[in-house]
Amino acid sequence: MKISIAQQNYHIGNFEENTRKIIAAIEAAKAEGSELIIFSEMSVCGYPARDFVEFSDFIDKCYQAVDQIREHADTIGVLIGSPSHNKIQKGKDLFNAAFFLYEKEVKAEIHKTLLPTYDVFDEYRYFEPAYEWKIVPFKGKKLAITICEDIWNLGDNPLYRICPMDQLMDQQPDVMLNISASPFDYTHDEDRKSVIKANVQKYKIPMFYCNSVGSQTEIIFDGASLVFDKDANLCGALPMFKEAMATWELNDDGSINAPVLEPASRVPDKELNPATLEPALNIAQVYDALIMGIRDYFSKMGFSKAILGSSGGIDSAVTLAIACDALGKENVRAILMPSPYSTDHSVNDAVQLSKNLGNPYDIIRIDEVYQSFLQTLQPVFNDLPFSLAEENIQSRSRGNLLMAIANKFGYILLNTSNKSELATGYGTLYGDMAGGLGVLGDCYKLQVYALAQYINRQREIIPANIITKAPSAELRPNQKDSDSLPDYTVLDQILYQYIEKRKGPAEIKTMGYDRALVDRTLKMVNNNEYKRNQFCPIIRVSPKAFGVGRRVPIVGKYLN
């Protein structure tokens, strides 16, 4: 049996475009002689649709799209994902469903069993778990169809009380088909392979796995769809971060007519779970994910041009380089805004960076704006000494200028704050925390340096001085980040243990970190939740990003 996988980039709620893509892939698969084609989870409407599924009109449009696609499922089996009505059981109104189409009919409707509610997922808010599990007969084969999380409940510590594939095995299926919308993080490529390998080894039948690709605001789907034969050899893989379609021939004995890409012995046996932060881990994947995050955010929102503040520092430099790659250098405008405390080399470094990249840039000094604020506030400030207030006026002046230019010319402001700064509150609300999209907000400072090295892997794009000089906000004379923050080589590791690994202060202290430093660091994280709560969407590249996947109280005493 020839089976095609189509990993596609969907636009949530754009039924016309999503349906067009699906139909085009069906026709292409027919031309290749394929007998079955599978698409990703919620392919009809895009994932995650979140509260959109609470609108009856939205669900009606899903069904209309299924009907339109069904007309093209004449000589070929088609497996698509969509919400479906819960018509026969008590519980929530909807299922997360897979529709199996053939001969222009809905031959089967499969419901997702395991509904994740952790991290970025909130599926049990909307959907009812499956009540029954049945294989789908098709052209002499018995298909075991599951949806994303349904294959992840293996191992010594399963998250759920039931395993859907265990229910299906009594019906002696020939092949597993899994349709997924599994988000990217820099550990997930290995995780995914290990989970699929574990399923194949347990059930001893091949698996065809289709994952979505594309960015949905902050969540990146990397594709990387996979095909494993019955012996757990990897025989097929679609590329990461690209739309693609390919066809494989499944033999009756569970083998695949394709070269083995990775024998079972080389496929990971367990999920990648680094004990400490490894800044350069899968850094090329992180870079590609950030490119996709920017590109899709702009294209799906109808934007074309970006603006950002270019300070001559590492964060703005990396953001600018990535944005130029994602949108084209001519579509990214850098604004240099030196203040009385900016050094000449920072301005020169920022100018050289834009010359290297070839993007347009402007230099707007904020000295007069800054002095105007001080004069206006003098009757209120009186003769109080210089403090954080005067520092932040500079940052907010820059934010105002950037937003003014963005409004005038239709740009979207890219934020350049990194995860270390956001974690500790080392940023100014309505100043350098302004923006429509956070590019580096899920990358620790050490990862930003690793990205800079990756960007410079073939030639010097980011000037060496930007990478080697001590980081500074340059809001007061001779200021360095180290005046306010611990060294990033230590800080980032503590933050990683607290945020990604969810370790408390007592556990982190047993790892050898200074007790007072741990307390100080975690207090900064907790006390600055109110800032992050007002921040723009952040492109998610880690297993635990700030935003929808991390929910902690703004006002709380824990760990303070």
Side-chain angles (χ1 to χ4, degrees):
M1 177 180 289
K2 285 189 174 182
I3 301 176
S4 298
I5 293 178
Q7 66 177 36
Q8 297 183 321
N9 187 342
Y10 303 113
H11 187 180
I12 294 172
N14 191 342
F15 294 98
E16 181 178 349
E17 176 62 14
N18 295 344
T19 301
R20 182 199 65 77
K21 282 186 175 184
I22 292 169
I23 291 173
I26 292 171
E27 296 304 321
K30 288 180 188 177
E32 292 185 5
S34 185
E35 297 163 86
L36 170 62
I37 182 169
I38 66 176
F39 297 86
S40 60
E41 180 180 12
M42 290 287 168
S43 47
V44 164
C45 61
Y47 181 91
R50 295 184 175 146
D51 283 7
F52 274 174
V53 301
E54 296 179 344
F55 292 83
S56 59
D57 179 64
F58 188 88
I59 304 302
D60 289 344
K61 290 181 184 298
C62 290
Y63 273 96
Q64 290 165 14
V66 171
D67 286 341
Q68 188 177 349
I69 295 164
R70 178 167 52 84
E71 292 301 309
H72 294 264
D74 44 9
T75 60
I76 187 172
V78 176
L79 185 62
I80 54 175
S82 174
S84 71
H85 290 300
N86 180 1
K87 299 176 182 177
I88 58 173
Q89 300 283 354
K90 295 180 180 179
K92 298 182 180 63
D93 293 336
L94 299 171
F95 292 110
N96 179 335
F99 287 82
F100 188 80
L101 314 175
Y102 183 53
E103 296 176 332
K104 298 187 178 183
E105 296 178 358
V106 177
K107 295 291 187 180
E109 185 179 313
I110 301 91
H111 301 147
K112 189 173 184 177
T113 304
L114 309 181
L115 303 174
T117 57
Y118 56 84
D119 201 68
V120 299
F121 304 104
D122 204 3
E123 290 201 30
Y124 196 64
R125 174 187 176 105
Y126 307 107
F127 301 116
E128 185 70 10
Y131 288 101
E132 59 182 9
W133 304 270
K134 294 180 179 179
I135 60 96
V136 177
F138 178 67
K139 293 192 174 184
K141 298 287 186 185
K142 296 178 180 179
L143 312 179
I145 299 172
T146 55
I147 303 173
C148 201
E149 188 86 350
D150 287 349
I151 63 170
W152 286 75
N153 201 37
L154 298 177
D156 297 330
N157 188 28
L159 289 175
Y160 309 92
R161 297 179 181 178
I162 195 169
C163 185
M165 273 305 304
D166 286 349
Q167 310 300 313
L168 290 165
M169 282 308 294
D170 290 341
Q171 302 167 59
Q172 298 180 320
D174 299 301
V175 60
M176 294 179 279
L177 306 179
N178 182 268
I179 64 172
S180 282
S182 183
F184 167 80
D185 68 61
Y186 52 72
T187 69
H188 208 52
D189 184 30
E190 290 86 350
D191 296 352
R192 194 179 290 133
K193 287 181 180 179
S194 70
V195 166
I196 296 175
K197 176 183 177 179
N199 275 269
V200 172
Q201 289 183 326
K202 179 177 181 179
Y203 302 115
K204 300 184 179 358
I205 55 176
M207 180 182 288
F208 286 72
Y209 169 91
C210 179
N211 191 33
S212 184
V213 69
S215 174
Q216 309 292 359
T217 311
E218 65 274 85
I219 304 175
I220 307 293
F221 297 98
D222 57 320
S225 301
L226 301 168
V227 176
F228 279 72
D229 68 15
K230 66 178 178 59
D231 297 318
N233 299 307
L234 176 62
C235 297
L238 292 183
M240 299 182 76
F241 308 110
K242 294 180 181 178
E243 290 188 298
M245 189 186 86
T247 302
W248 293 267
E249 187 168 6
L250 170 65
N251 298 317
D252 290 340
D253 63 358
S255 62
I256 307 291
N257 276 355
V260 172
L261 303 179
E262 288 183 43
S265 59
R266 291 219 321 263
V267 177
D269 287 315
K270 58 184 180 180
E271 298 179 30
L272 182 60
N273 191 19
T276 58
L277 176 66
E278 300 175 23
L281 178 64
N282 289 330
I283 201 67
Q285 292 182 11
V286 172
Y287 183 84
D288 289 342
L290 295 174
I291 293 288
M292 173 169 278
I294 296 173
R295 189 175 289 156
D296 276 12
Y297 186 81
F298 274 68
S299 64
K300 291 177 181 179
M301 292 289 285
F303 306 138
S304 60
K305 294 183 181 294
I307 190 172
L308 57 82
S310 183
S311 67
I314 188 75
D315 300 316
S316 62
V318 169
T319 303
L320 180 56
I322 293 173
C324 286
D325 197 349
L327 303 174
K329 60 185 180 182
E330 69 281 2
N331 294 316
V332 185
R333 188 171 181 177
I335 308 296
L336 289 63
M337 295 167 287
S339 77
Y341 307 111
S342 299
T343 58
D344 290 340
H345 66 75
S346 290
V347 176
N348 294 336
D349 290 341
V351 169
Q352 186 60 54
L353 172 65
S354 283
K355 288 181 177 178
N356 291 349
L357 290 166
N359 69 281
Y361 67 93
D362 301 275
I363 302 176
I364 304 174
R365 294 204 64 91
I366 67 166
D367 307 66
E368 292 184 6
V369 174
Y370 177 52
Q371 290 301 324
S372 178
F373 269 108
L374 295 181
Q375 291 171 9
T376 301
L377 289 166
Q378 199 280 329
V380 179
F381 283 8
N382 291 317
D383 295 322
L384 292 172
F386 185 97
S387 69
L388 185 65
E390 285 81 2
E391 291 184 28
N392 286 344
I393 288 172
Q394 298 165 74
S395 183
R396 292 193 177 107
S397 296
R398 292 177 175 127
N400 272 319
L401 291 171
L402 286 167
M403 286 307 304
I405 299 169
N407 290 163
K408 180 63 72 174
F409 297 103
Y411 298 120
I412 295 300
L413 175 59
L414 296 178
N415 184 272
T416 66
S417 301
N418 64 62
K419 192 171 188 176
S420 307
E421 293 172 343
L422 292 175
T424 55
Y426 193 62
T428 304
L429 274 176
Y430 327 119
D432 60 352
M433 292 183 73
L437 181 67
V439 177
L440 299 178
D442 198 28
C443 296
Y444 291 109
K445 190 77 170 188
L446 297 181
Q447 291 175 304
V448 177
Y449 281 108
L451 283 167
Q453 297 291 350
Y454 180 77
I455 290 166
N456 282 3
R457 65 193 182 280
Q458 294 178 333
R459 64 182 180 90
E460 185 176 282
I461 295 173
I462 298 176
N465 191 51
I466 290 180
I467 298 174
T468 58
K469 68 185 175 185
S472 170
E474 295 190 335
L475 298 177
R476 62 175 183 266
N478 302 313
Q479 183 183 25
K480 299 290 185 293
D481 287 5
S482 56
D483 298 338
S484 304
L485 297 174
D487 186 275
Y488 286 114
T489 57
V490 178
L491 174 65
D492 284 0
Q493 294 292 350
I494 294 174
L495 294 173
Y496 177 81
Q497 295 302 325
Y498 183 46
I499 298 167
E500 269 82 354
K501 307 302 287 185
R502 268 90 80 196
K503 294 186 182 297
E507 295 173 284
I508 298 174
K509 289 170 186 175
T510 63
M511 300 176 71
Y513 298 106
D514 179 80
R515 300 177 67 85
L517 178 59
V518 172
D519 288 338
R520 176 189 166 206
T521 299
L522 301 196
K523 184 175 182 180
M524 286 191 289
V525 176
N526 296 334
N527 285 355
N528 284 286
E529 188 62 34
Y530 77 100
K531 286 188 177 182
R532 293 187 293 273
N533 197 60
Q534 301 177 64
F535 196 64
C536 58
I538 297 168
I539 300 173
R540 177 186 182 271
V541 296
S542 80
K544 182 60 66 174
F546 294 129
V548 295
R550 186 177 184 271
R551 306 174 190 180
V552 298
I554 293 176
V555 179
K557 186 68 175 171
Y558 177 61
L559 298 180
N560 277 355

